[in-house]
Amino acid sequence: MWGESYGLFKHFNAIIKESKQLIYSKEFLEDYRVGNAITRNREISFTTNVICFLLHSSKKSLPIKLSNFRDSFTNLKIPLVFPQAMSRARQGIHSDAFYKLFQATVVGFYK
């Protein structure tokens, strides 16, 4: 029983690792940004903060979600940003980016 749970944990850990590598890759940024929306270094970085925030989101208001996200993921060193900045950053991400992440997790799950 424990060995089976450990194997599943290792499997999910591998899926998370692969997803993280995808999110942090330069190719992912180039393929899924909308126009030239994400070309400069800004307070809210495309790969580390916005994608992770959107994947972690809940049904709460945007200011509460931002606060909870910053508190939960202190290792990301997320700067204090206004909800409008997050909304603007979110508009710079093509929806296909999330489909690509979904596909990567499904493929990883069924390996």
Side-chain angles (χ1 to χ4, degrees):
M1 171 85 174
W2 186 83
E4 190 176 300
S5 295
Y6 180 70
L8 190 59
F9 174 77
K10 283 180 61 177
H11 189 67
F12 283 129
N13 213 14
I15 292 170
I16 290 169
K17 185 178 178 182
E18 288 176 26
S19 297
K20 191 175 178 181
Q21 288 173 343
L22 181 64
I23 291 169
Y24 284 88
S25 73
K26 185 177 179 179
E27 294 80 22
F28 190 78
L29 167 65
E30 291 170 355
D31 290 345
Y32 296 108
R33 69 176 169 208
V34 174
N36 63 354
I38 309 165
T39 55
R40 298 185 299 156
N41 276 338
R42 298 180 185 241
E43 288 293 315
I44 307 172
S45 118
F46 172 76
T47 54
T48 57
N49 298 342
V50 179
I51 293 286
C52 294
F53 172 76
L54 293 172
L55 292 174
H56 183 263
S57 290
S58 64
K59 299 294 180 200
K60 297 177 182 172
S61 70
L62 187 55
I64 291 172
K65 289 190 294 189
L66 280 169
S67 178
N68 290 346
F69 185 69
R70 288 185 75 233
D71 294 344
S72 297
F73 296 96
T74 55
N75 60 321
L76 292 179
K77 296 178 178 39
I78 301 164
L80 184 60
V81 295
F82 291 104
Q84 295 85 348
M86 182 57 73
S87 292
R88 186 171 297 139
R90 184 174 29 193
Q91 291 173 357
I93 301 169
H94 198 283
S95 61
D96 288 347
F98 298 98
Y99 183 71
K100 174 76 173 181
L101 281 169
F102 172 72
Q103 285 180 319
T105 56
V106 170
V107 167
F109 183 79
Y110 289 106
K111 274 186 183 177

